[in-house]
Amino acid sequence: MADAMTNPIDFALGQRTRFYEELGAFLRIPSVSAKSEHDGDTERAAEWVREQLVRAGLEAETIATPGHPVVVGEWRGAGAEAPTVLIYGHYDVQPAEPLELWDSPPFEPEVRDGRIYARGSADDKGQLFLHIKALEAHLATRGRLPVNVIVLAEGEEEVGSPNLVPFVKEYRDRLAAQTVVISDSAMFAPGLPSLLFSLRGLAYFEIHATGPASDLHSGAYGGAVLNPANALARVVAGLHDESGRITIPGFYDDVLTPSDETLAGIRGLPFDADEYASEVGTVPTGGEVAFSPLERLWIRPSCDVNGMLSGYTGEGAKTVLPGKAMAKVSFRLVPDQSPERVRKLLEEHLARVTPAGVTMEVVELHGGRPWSARLEGPLFTAATRALERSFGATPVLTGEGGSIPIVVELEEILGASSLLLGFALPGANMHAPNEWFAKDCFEKGIDTLIHLYDELAAL
Ligand code: BES
Ligand code: ZN
């Protein structure tokens, strides 16, 4: 397959049709990690990634875990003296529901207006695929890379990576790398690429409120028996004050103020409030009034109800006083907050505010620490140049409100530092109906990652 006559960029251009077909096949596998009915599909997606890595010229295997398999690809031709880059991505996707809100079926990719619509197109199959194709382009044309490369693709990112930390610990020697590269995030704007300076962490809980021994007639008992749904709603509403601050005592104690440089950088970004409002369909009035929207998203913590369950929600009216209620509440965290401390503070807070007549129990779903980047070193310089070459624009430094909990763990276990460069566009509908990935970003993304290796070699 080696094509020594062409350079990797021309190779990628020449193979573009095939690349799109392959991405289509990947996106057609409904690898929904949260649903056991899709376990076979998730496994099939892992095997698909393994085959793609082999096709690209790496050695690759899928390794079983107590959950979904991990795929490890390796190319060690640069030799023991050369640095090693570990590329991390995930082949699992979020559930596609509600299906009726999709304009085309989530697992039948469709191109409309220069966008590939499918679940996982942006998060993260499309972006993981870019890396595989950049490796293939180099190995097919030059037969080598300037660094050793490990690809680590997991199938449980969307369910909190429960098995990946033990996996990385077990395989720490084999996964040893100086730098971790991840494309699982977004650019700041069309035509304006970004490198991340931070990701928020996550602390995600269920709060279970229990009152009477069973559901009761809301007339026969309402007014005398405290309704757990009323009590839970009150507690949840009380988690914020009028200025948007989280009211849990001590919650902000370990929130750090970023450097003046970071703050000035955020203020200098071309944030368009009207465009943001039209992207989300409403004005950004959540969070702390004292901060700008980008600050609230990137450098301040947040607290959100993700779902609530109680009582009768079917058609018409049923007069019932439910015996219990549940809320799923997540906190996005910033340095130096930790999920463990947030859990402790939440439990202490609930113990203080829970009224007599109900009990509240906290169940932890998952957590992850916030990450901040070391914005220096050859990889950072190489990535800046690579993005400039393919997008014709200097990347801006941005934060990210979402979380990729494994990043901090990979850095600590492997002693590496991470570079996050994402190619999705704002409004890509990650986790939502009609997720899409722009063809332009797909093509420039592959070119960027091809340039990345050349720039690394040049440094
Ligand atoms: N790709 C996202 C992280 C992300 C979201 C980056 C939005 C940029 C913009 C990732 O797949 C994700 O969704 N992470 C989860 C983590 C959770 C399941 C532990 C998240 O942030 O909710
Ligand atoms: Zn996601």
mmCIF file with all atom_site columns, all heavy atoms in Angstrom, residues 90 94 123 157-160 184-186 199 202 332 366 400 402-405 430-431, ligand 1:
data_model
loop_
_atom_site.group_PDB
_atom_site.id
_atom_site.type_symbol
_atom_site.label_atom_id
_atom_site.label_alt_id
_atom_site.label_comp_id
_atom_site.label_asym_id
_atom_site.label_entity_id
_atom_site.label_seq_id
_atom_site.pdbx_PDB_ins_code
_atom_site.Cartn_x
_atom_site.Cartn_y
_atom_site.Cartn_z
_atom_site.occupancy
_atom_site.B_iso_or_equiv
_atom_site.pdbx_formal_charge
_atom_site.auth_seq_id
_atom_site.auth_comp_id
_atom_site.auth_asym_id
_atom_site.auth_atom_id
_atom_site.pdbx_PDB_model_num
ATOM   1   N N   . HIS A 1 90  ? -12.772 7.890  22.149 1.00 0.00 ? 90  HIS A N   1
ATOM   2   C CA  . HIS A 1 90  ? -13.757 6.876  22.524 1.00 0.00 ? 90  HIS A CA  1
ATOM   3   C C   . HIS A 1 90  ? -14.655 6.510  21.350 1.00 0.00 ? 90  HIS A C   1
ATOM   4   O O   . HIS A 1 90  ? -15.028 7.366  20.550 1.00 0.00 ? 90  HIS A O   1
ATOM   5   C CB  . HIS A 1 90  ? -14.563 7.285  23.756 1.00 0.00 ? 90  HIS A CB  1
ATOM   6   C CG  . HIS A 1 90  ? -15.396 8.535  23.637 1.00 0.00 ? 90  HIS A CG  1
ATOM   7   N ND1 . HIS A 1 90  ? -16.743 8.496  23.341 1.00 0.00 ? 90  HIS A ND1 1
ATOM   8   C CD2 . HIS A 1 90  ? -15.090 9.843  23.795 1.00 0.00 ? 90  HIS A CD2 1
ATOM   9   C CE1 . HIS A 1 90  ? -17.224 9.728  23.335 1.00 0.00 ? 90  HIS A CE1 1
ATOM   10  N NE2 . HIS A 1 90  ? -16.244 10.572 23.605 1.00 0.00 ? 90  HIS A NE2 1
ATOM   11  N N   . GLN A 1 94  ? -23.459 8.308  23.036 1.00 0.00 ? 94  GLN A N   1
ATOM   12  C CA  . GLN A 1 94  ? -24.612 8.510  23.911 1.00 0.00 ? 94  GLN A CA  1
ATOM   13  C C   . GLN A 1 94  ? -25.850 7.888  23.259 1.00 0.00 ? 94  GLN A C   1
ATOM   14  O O   . GLN A 1 94  ? -25.924 7.788  22.029 1.00 0.00 ? 94  GLN A O   1
ATOM   15  C CB  . GLN A 1 94  ? -24.856 10.014 24.080 1.00 0.00 ? 94  GLN A CB  1
ATOM   16  C CG  . GLN A 1 94  ? -23.849 10.693 24.978 1.00 0.00 ? 94  GLN A CG  1
ATOM   17  C CD  . GLN A 1 94  ? -24.239 10.619 26.444 1.00 0.00 ? 94  GLN A CD  1
ATOM   18  O OE1 . GLN A 1 94  ? -25.421 10.599 26.790 1.00 0.00 ? 94  GLN A OE1 1
ATOM   19  N NE2 . GLN A 1 94  ? -23.248 10.589 27.310 1.00 0.00 ? 94  GLN A NE2 1
ATOM   20  N N   . ASP A 1 123 ? -18.845 13.385 18.481 1.00 0.00 ? 123 ASP A N   1
ATOM   21  C CA  . ASP A 1 123 ? -18.501 12.922 19.841 1.00 0.00 ? 123 ASP A CA  1
ATOM   22  C C   . ASP A 1 123 ? -18.618 11.413 19.913 1.00 0.00 ? 123 ASP A C   1
ATOM   23  O O   . ASP A 1 123 ? -19.650 10.889 20.264 1.00 0.00 ? 123 ASP A O   1
ATOM   24  C CB  . ASP A 1 123 ? -19.447 13.612 20.831 1.00 0.00 ? 123 ASP A CB  1
ATOM   25  C CG  . ASP A 1 123 ? -19.178 13.238 22.282 1.00 0.00 ? 123 ASP A CG  1
ATOM   26  O OD1 . ASP A 1 123 ? -18.169 12.566 22.555 1.00 0.00 ? 123 ASP A OD1 1
ATOM   27  O OD2 . ASP A 1 123 ? -20.007 13.602 23.133 1.00 0.00 ? 123 ASP A OD2 1
ATOM   28  N N   . GLU A 1 157 ? -16.516 5.903  27.687 1.00 0.00 ? 157 GLU A N   1
ATOM   29  C CA  . GLU A 1 157 ? -16.350 7.311  28.082 1.00 0.00 ? 157 GLU A CA  1
ATOM   30  C C   . GLU A 1 157 ? -17.685 7.924  28.450 1.00 0.00 ? 157 GLU A C   1
ATOM   31  O O   . GLU A 1 157 ? -17.798 8.681  29.412 1.00 0.00 ? 157 GLU A O   1
ATOM   32  C CB  . GLU A 1 157 ? -15.695 8.108  26.944 1.00 0.00 ? 157 GLU A CB  1
ATOM   33  C CG  . GLU A 1 157 ? -15.127 9.447  27.388 1.00 0.00 ? 157 GLU A CG  1
ATOM   34  C CD  . GLU A 1 157 ? -16.111 10.598 27.391 1.00 0.00 ? 157 GLU A CD  1
ATOM   35  O OE1 . GLU A 1 157 ? -17.235 10.443 26.865 1.00 0.00 ? 157 GLU A OE1 1
ATOM   36  O OE2 . GLU A 1 157 ? -15.795 11.653 27.943 1.00 0.00 ? 157 GLU A OE2 1
ATOM   37  N N   . GLU A 1 158 ? -18.716 7.583  27.679 1.00 0.00 ? 158 GLU A N   1
ATOM   38  C CA  . GLU A 1 158 ? -20.017 8.227  27.891 1.00 0.00 ? 158 GLU A CA  1
ATOM   39  C C   . GLU A 1 158 ? -20.747 7.700  29.128 1.00 0.00 ? 158 GLU A C   1
ATOM   40  O O   . GLU A 1 158 ? -21.817 8.195  29.469 1.00 0.00 ? 158 GLU A O   1
ATOM   41  C CB  . GLU A 1 158 ? -20.898 8.071  26.646 1.00 0.00 ? 158 GLU A CB  1
ATOM   42  C CG  . GLU A 1 158 ? -20.323 8.711  25.381 1.00 0.00 ? 158 GLU A CG  1
ATOM   43  C CD  . GLU A 1 158 ? -20.260 10.236 25.419 1.00 0.00 ? 158 GLU A CD  1
ATOM   44  O OE1 . GLU A 1 158 ? -20.499 10.831 26.483 1.00 0.00 ? 158 GLU A OE1 1
ATOM   45  O OE2 . GLU A 1 158 ? -19.954 10.819 24.368 1.00 0.00 ? 158 GLU A OE2 1
ATOM   46  N N   . VAL A 1 159 ? -20.185 6.692  29.765 1.00 0.00 ? 159 VAL A N   1
ATOM   47  C CA  . VAL A 1 159 ? -20.760 6.234  31.032 1.00 0.00 ? 159 VAL A CA  1
ATOM   48  C C   . VAL A 1 159 ? -19.773 6.426  32.183 1.00 0.00 ? 159 VAL A C   1
ATOM   49  O O   . VAL A 1 159 ? -19.867 5.774  33.223 1.00 0.00 ? 159 VAL A O   1
ATOM   50  C CB  . VAL A 1 159 ? -21.255 4.760  30.958 1.00 0.00 ? 159 VAL A CB  1
ATOM   51  C CG1 . VAL A 1 159 ? -22.465 4.664  30.046 1.00 0.00 ? 159 VAL A CG1 1
ATOM   52  C CG2 . VAL A 1 159 ? -20.149 3.817  30.479 1.00 0.00 ? 159 VAL A CG2 1
ATOM   53  N N   . GLY A 1 160 ? -18.818 7.329  32.001 1.00 0.00 ? 160 GLY A N   1
ATOM   54  C CA  . GLY A 1 160 ? -17.925 7.695  33.107 1.00 0.00 ? 160 GLY A CA  1
ATOM   55  C C   . GLY A 1 160 ? -16.657 6.872  33.201 1.00 0.00 ? 160 GLY A C   1
ATOM   56  O O   . GLY A 1 160 ? -15.987 6.905  34.233 1.00 0.00 ? 160 GLY A O   1
ATOM   57  N N   . ASP A 1 184 ? -11.724 15.522 21.219 1.00 0.00 ? 184 ASP A N   1
ATOM   58  C CA  . ASP A 1 184 ? -13.073 15.160 21.679 1.00 0.00 ? 184 ASP A CA  1
ATOM   59  C C   . ASP A 1 184 ? -13.774 16.421 22.168 1.00 0.00 ? 184 ASP A C   1
ATOM   60  O O   . ASP A 1 184 ? -14.537 16.393 23.115 1.00 0.00 ? 184 ASP A O   1
ATOM   61  C CB  . ASP A 1 184 ? -12.968 14.106 22.792 1.00 0.00 ? 184 ASP A CB  1
ATOM   62  C CG  . ASP A 1 184 ? -14.321 13.510 23.167 1.00 0.00 ? 184 ASP A CG  1
ATOM   63  O OD1 . ASP A 1 184 ? -15.261 13.615 22.369 1.00 0.00 ? 184 ASP A OD1 1
ATOM   64  O OD2 . ASP A 1 184 ? -14.428 12.942 24.279 1.00 0.00 ? 184 ASP A OD2 1
ATOM   65  N N   . SER A 1 185 ? -13.459 17.532 21.502 1.00 0.00 ? 185 SER A N   1
ATOM   66  C CA  . SER A 1 185 ? -14.017 18.817 21.942 1.00 0.00 ? 185 SER A CA  1
ATOM   67  C C   . SER A 1 185 ? -14.268 19.659 20.693 1.00 0.00 ? 185 SER A C   1
ATOM   68  O O   . SER A 1 185 ? -14.223 19.163 19.579 1.00 0.00 ? 185 SER A O   1
ATOM   69  C CB  . SER A 1 185 ? -13.055 19.500 22.919 1.00 0.00 ? 185 SER A CB  1
ATOM   70  O OG  . SER A 1 185 ? -11.767 19.612 22.370 1.00 0.00 ? 185 SER A OG  1
ATOM   71  N N   . ALA A 1 186 ? -14.529 20.943 20.897 1.00 0.00 ? 186 ALA A N   1
ATOM   72  C CA  . ALA A 1 186 ? -14.961 21.778 19.780 1.00 0.00 ? 186 ALA A CA  1
ATOM   73  C C   . ALA A 1 186 ? -13.975 22.910 19.501 1.00 0.00 ? 186 ALA A C   1
ATOM   74  O O   . ALA A 1 186 ? -13.165 23.278 20.348 1.00 0.00 ? 186 ALA A O   1
ATOM   75  C CB  . ALA A 1 186 ? -16.335 22.357 20.073 1.00 0.00 ? 186 ALA A CB  1
ATOM   76  N N   . LEU A 1 199 ? -10.608 21.737 31.170 1.00 0.00 ? 199 LEU A N   1
ATOM   77  C CA  . LEU A 1 199 ? -11.874 21.003 31.099 1.00 0.00 ? 199 LEU A CA  1
ATOM   78  C C   . LEU A 1 199 ? -12.451 21.039 32.503 1.00 0.00 ? 199 LEU A C   1
ATOM   79  O O   . LEU A 1 199 ? -11.702 20.943 33.477 1.00 0.00 ? 199 LEU A O   1
ATOM   80  C CB  . LEU A 1 199 ? -11.629 19.528 30.778 1.00 0.00 ? 199 LEU A CB  1
ATOM   81  C CG  . LEU A 1 199 ? -11.247 19.060 29.396 1.00 0.00 ? 199 LEU A CG  1
ATOM   82  C CD1 . LEU A 1 199 ? -10.726 17.618 29.500 1.00 0.00 ? 199 LEU A CD1 1
ATOM   83  C CD2 . LEU A 1 199 ? -12.435 19.122 28.450 1.00 0.00 ? 199 LEU A CD2 1
ATOM   84  N N   . LEU A 1 202 ? -16.432 16.776 37.120 1.00 0.00 ? 202 LEU A N   1
ATOM   85  C CA  . LEU A 1 202 ? -17.841 16.419 37.269 1.00 0.00 ? 202 LEU A CA  1
ATOM   86  C C   . LEU A 1 202 ? -18.058 15.688 38.585 1.00 0.00 ? 202 LEU A C   1
ATOM   87  O O   . LEU A 1 202 ? -17.248 14.844 38.985 1.00 0.00 ? 202 LEU A O   1
ATOM   88  C CB  . LEU A 1 202 ? -18.245 15.518 36.099 1.00 0.00 ? 202 LEU A CB  1
ATOM   89  C CG  . LEU A 1 202 ? -19.683 15.020 36.030 1.00 0.00 ? 202 LEU A CG  1
ATOM   90  C CD1 . LEU A 1 202 ? -20.651 16.169 35.815 1.00 0.00 ? 202 LEU A CD1 1
ATOM   91  C CD2 . LEU A 1 202 ? -19.829 13.999 34.901 1.00 0.00 ? 202 LEU A CD2 1
ATOM   92  N N   . ARG A 1 332 ? -20.531 20.679 37.770 1.00 0.00 ? 332 ARG A N   1
ATOM   93  C CA  . ARG A 1 332 ? -19.296 20.780 36.979 1.00 0.00 ? 332 ARG A CA  1
ATOM   94  C C   . ARG A 1 332 ? -18.285 21.526 37.839 1.00 0.00 ? 332 ARG A C   1
ATOM   95  O O   . ARG A 1 332 ? -18.616 22.532 38.473 1.00 0.00 ? 332 ARG A O   1
ATOM   96  C CB  . ARG A 1 332 ? -19.553 21.534 35.670 1.00 0.00 ? 332 ARG A CB  1
ATOM   97  C CG  . ARG A 1 332 ? -20.518 20.830 34.730 1.00 0.00 ? 332 ARG A CG  1
ATOM   98  C CD  . ARG A 1 332 ? -19.894 19.609 34.040 1.00 0.00 ? 332 ARG A CD  1
ATOM   99  N NE  . ARG A 1 332 ? -20.927 18.842 33.343 1.00 0.00 ? 332 ARG A NE  1
ATOM   100 C CZ  . ARG A 1 332 ? -20.670 17.857 32.486 1.00 0.00 ? 332 ARG A CZ  1
ATOM   101 N NH1 . ARG A 1 332 ? -19.421 17.495 32.235 1.00 0.00 ? 332 ARG A NH1 1
ATOM   102 N NH2 . ARG A 1 332 ? -21.643 17.204 31.905 1.00 0.00 ? 332 ARG A NH2 1
ATOM   103 N N   . HIS A 1 366 ? -21.166 9.321  39.006 1.00 0.00 ? 366 HIS A N   1
ATOM   104 C CA  . HIS A 1 366 ? -19.740 9.311  38.713 1.00 0.00 ? 366 HIS A CA  1
ATOM   105 C C   . HIS A 1 366 ? -19.105 10.673 38.883 1.00 0.00 ? 366 HIS A C   1
ATOM   106 O O   . HIS A 1 366 ? -19.789 11.675 39.068 1.00 0.00 ? 366 HIS A O   1
ATOM   107 C CB  . HIS A 1 366 ? -19.384 8.707  37.348 1.00 0.00 ? 366 HIS A CB  1
ATOM   108 C CG  . HIS A 1 366 ? -20.197 9.179  36.204 1.00 0.00 ? 366 HIS A CG  1
ATOM   109 N ND1 . HIS A 1 366 ? -20.741 8.309  35.302 1.00 0.00 ? 366 HIS A ND1 1
ATOM   110 C CD2 . HIS A 1 366 ? -20.581 10.398 35.818 1.00 0.00 ? 366 HIS A CD2 1
ATOM   111 C CE1 . HIS A 1 366 ? -21.407 8.987  34.410 1.00 0.00 ? 366 HIS A CE1 1
ATOM   112 N NE2 . HIS A 1 366 ? -21.333 10.252 34.681 1.00 0.00 ? 366 HIS A NE2 1
ATOM   113 N N   . GLU A 1 400 ? -13.260 24.572 28.372 1.00 0.00 ? 400 GLU A N   1
ATOM   114 C CA  . GLU A 1 400 ? -14.376 23.723 27.938 1.00 0.00 ? 400 GLU A CA  1
ATOM   115 C C   . GLU A 1 400 ? -15.218 23.405 29.162 1.00 0.00 ? 400 GLU A C   1
ATOM   116 O O   . GLU A 1 400 ? -14.682 23.057 30.212 1.00 0.00 ? 400 GLU A O   1
ATOM   117 C CB  . GLU A 1 400 ? -13.823 22.449 27.293 1.00 0.00 ? 400 GLU A CB  1
ATOM   118 C CG  . GLU A 1 400 ? -14.865 21.441 26.911 1.00 0.00 ? 400 GLU A CG  1
ATOM   119 C CD  . GLU A 1 400 ? -15.980 22.056 26.088 1.00 0.00 ? 400 GLU A CD  1
ATOM   120 O OE1 . GLU A 1 400 ? -15.703 22.560 24.985 1.00 0.00 ? 400 GLU A OE1 1
ATOM   121 O OE2 . GLU A 1 400 ? -17.126 22.067 26.570 1.00 0.00 ? 400 GLU A OE2 1
ATOM   122 N N   . GLY A 1 402 ? -17.499 20.993 29.339 1.00 0.00 ? 402 GLY A N   1
ATOM   123 C CA  . GLY A 1 402 ? -17.707 19.552 29.470 1.00 0.00 ? 402 GLY A CA  1
ATOM   124 C C   . GLY A 1 402 ? -16.522 18.880 30.146 1.00 0.00 ? 402 GLY A C   1
ATOM   125 O O   . GLY A 1 402 ? -15.542 19.533 30.529 1.00 0.00 ? 402 GLY A O   1
ATOM   126 N N   . SER A 1 403 ? -16.624 17.569 30.291 1.00 0.00 ? 403 SER A N   1
ATOM   127 C CA  . SER A 1 403 ? -15.622 16.826 31.061 1.00 0.00 ? 403 SER A CA  1
ATOM   128 C C   . SER A 1 403 ? -15.119 15.609 30.294 1.00 0.00 ? 403 SER A C   1
ATOM   129 O O   . SER A 1 403 ? -15.877 14.979 29.558 1.00 0.00 ? 403 SER A O   1
ATOM   130 C CB  . SER A 1 403 ? -16.245 16.333 32.378 1.00 0.00 ? 403 SER A CB  1
ATOM   131 O OG  . SER A 1 403 ? -16.919 17.376 33.032 1.00 0.00 ? 403 SER A OG  1
ATOM   132 N N   . ILE A 1 404 ? -13.852 15.307 30.478 1.00 0.00 ? 404 ILE A N   1
ATOM   133 C CA  . ILE A 1 404 ? -13.294 14.034 30.006 1.00 0.00 ? 404 ILE A CA  1
ATOM   134 C C   . ILE A 1 404 ? -12.463 13.519 31.183 1.00 0.00 ? 404 ILE A C   1
ATOM   135 O O   . ILE A 1 404 ? -11.270 13.795 31.293 1.00 0.00 ? 404 ILE A O   1
ATOM   136 C CB  . ILE A 1 404 ? -12.430 14.216 28.727 1.00 0.00 ? 404 ILE A CB  1
ATOM   137 C CG1 . ILE A 1 404 ? -13.200 15.013 27.646 1.00 0.00 ? 404 ILE A CG1 1
ATOM   138 C CG2 . ILE A 1 404 ? -12.002 12.855 28.172 1.00 0.00 ? 404 ILE A CG2 1
ATOM   139 C CD1 . ILE A 1 404 ? -12.391 15.309 26.380 1.00 0.00 ? 404 ILE A CD1 1
ATOM   140 N N   . PRO A 1 405 ? -13.155 12.804 32.091 1.00 0.00 ? 405 PRO A N   1
ATOM   141 C CA  . PRO A 1 405 ? -12.536 12.511 33.400 1.00 0.00 ? 405 PRO A CA  1
ATOM   142 C C   . PRO A 1 405 ? -11.199 11.781 33.334 1.00 0.00 ? 405 PRO A C   1
ATOM   143 O O   . PRO A 1 405 ? -10.375 11.920 34.232 1.00 0.00 ? 405 PRO A O   1
ATOM   144 C CB  . PRO A 1 405 ? -13.594 11.644 34.097 1.00 0.00 ? 405 PRO A CB  1
ATOM   145 C CG  . PRO A 1 405 ? -14.889 11.993 33.442 1.00 0.00 ? 405 PRO A CG  1
ATOM   146 C CD  . PRO A 1 405 ? -14.544 12.340 32.020 1.00 0.00 ? 405 PRO A CD  1
ATOM   147 N N   . MET A 1 430 ? -23.789 17.562 20.262 1.00 0.00 ? 430 MET A N   1
ATOM   148 C CA  . MET A 1 430 ? -23.278 16.408 21.014 1.00 0.00 ? 430 MET A CA  1
ATOM   149 C C   . MET A 1 430 ? -24.327 16.021 22.055 1.00 0.00 ? 430 MET A C   1
ATOM   150 O O   . MET A 1 430 ? -24.884 16.890 22.728 1.00 0.00 ? 430 MET A O   1
ATOM   151 C CB  . MET A 1 430 ? -21.989 16.800 21.747 1.00 0.00 ? 430 MET A CB  1
ATOM   152 C CG  . MET A 1 430 ? -20.777 16.981 20.870 1.00 0.00 ? 430 MET A CG  1
ATOM   153 S SD  . MET A 1 430 ? -19.348 17.379 21.946 1.00 0.00 ? 430 MET A SD  1
ATOM   154 C CE  . MET A 1 430 ? -18.002 17.395 20.775 1.00 0.00 ? 430 MET A CE  1
ATOM   155 N N   . HIS A 1 431 ? -24.612 14.751 22.180 1.00 0.00 ? 431 HIS A N   1
ATOM   156 C CA  . HIS A 1 431 ? -25.577 14.189 23.154 1.00 0.00 ? 431 HIS A CA  1
ATOM   157 C C   . HIS A 1 431 ? -27.025 14.557 22.824 1.00 0.00 ? 431 HIS A C   1
ATOM   158 O O   . HIS A 1 431 ? -27.930 14.180 23.556 1.00 0.00 ? 431 HIS A O   1
ATOM   159 C CB  . HIS A 1 431 ? -25.282 14.639 24.600 1.00 0.00 ? 431 HIS A CB  1
ATOM   160 C CG  . HIS A 1 431 ? -23.945 14.195 25.109 1.00 0.00 ? 431 HIS A CG  1
ATOM   161 N ND1 . HIS A 1 431 ? -23.656 14.089 26.448 1.00 0.00 ? 431 HIS A ND1 1
ATOM   162 C CD2 . HIS A 1 431 ? -22.825 13.813 24.449 1.00 0.00 ? 431 HIS A CD2 1
ATOM   163 C CE1 . HIS A 1 431 ? -22.391 13.674 26.588 1.00 0.00 ? 431 HIS A CE1 1
ATOM   164 N NE2 . HIS A 1 431 ? -21.878 13.504 25.382 1.00 0.00 ? 431 HIS A NE2 1
HETATM 165 N N1  . BES B 2 .   ? -16.853 14.938 24.204 1.00 0.00 ? 1   BES B N1  1
HETATM 166 C C1  . BES B 2 .   ? -17.438 15.110 25.480 1.00 0.00 ? 1   BES B C1  1
HETATM 167 C C2  . BES B 2 .   ? -16.778 16.183 26.309 1.00 0.00 ? 1   BES B C2  1
HETATM 168 C C3  . BES B 2 .   ? -17.103 17.523 25.733 1.00 0.00 ? 1   BES B C3  1
HETATM 169 C C4  . BES B 2 .   ? -18.388 17.976 25.773 1.00 0.00 ? 1   BES B C4  1
HETATM 170 C C5  . BES B 2 .   ? -16.147 18.270 25.121 1.00 0.00 ? 1   BES B C5  1
HETATM 171 C C6  . BES B 2 .   ? -18.727 19.174 25.194 1.00 0.00 ? 1   BES B C6  1
HETATM 172 C C7  . BES B 2 .   ? -16.478 19.460 24.534 1.00 0.00 ? 1   BES B C7  1
HETATM 173 C C8  . BES B 2 .   ? -17.772 19.914 24.555 1.00 0.00 ? 1   BES B C8  1
HETATM 174 C C9  . BES B 2 .   ? -17.412 13.800 26.225 1.00 0.00 ? 1   BES B C9  1
HETATM 175 O O1  . BES B 2 .   ? -17.686 12.709 25.399 1.00 0.00 ? 1   BES B O1  1
HETATM 176 C C10 . BES B 2 .   ? -18.503 13.842 27.258 1.00 0.00 ? 1   BES B C10 1
HETATM 177 O O2  . BES B 2 .   ? -19.628 13.999 26.919 1.00 0.00 ? 1   BES B O2  1
HETATM 178 N N2  . BES B 2 .   ? -18.139 13.714 28.531 1.00 0.00 ? 1   BES B N2  1
HETATM 179 C C11 . BES B 2 .   ? -19.093 13.561 29.571 1.00 0.00 ? 1   BES B C11 1
HETATM 180 C C12 . BES B 2 .   ? -18.387 12.932 30.716 1.00 0.00 ? 1   BES B C12 1
HETATM 181 C C13 . BES B 2 .   ? -19.271 12.172 31.638 1.00 0.00 ? 1   BES B C13 1
HETATM 182 C C14 . BES B 2 .   ? -20.129 11.140 30.948 1.00 0.00 ? 1   BES B C14 1
HETATM 183 C C15 . BES B 2 .   ? -18.450 11.529 32.730 1.00 0.00 ? 1   BES B C15 1
HETATM 184 C C16 . BES B 2 .   ? -19.665 14.912 29.982 1.00 0.00 ? 1   BES B C16 1
HETATM 185 O O3  . BES B 2 .   ? -18.999 15.945 29.914 1.00 0.00 ? 1   BES B O3  1
HETATM 186 O O4  . BES B 2 .   ? -20.841 14.918 30.366 1.00 0.00 ? 1   BES B O4  1
#
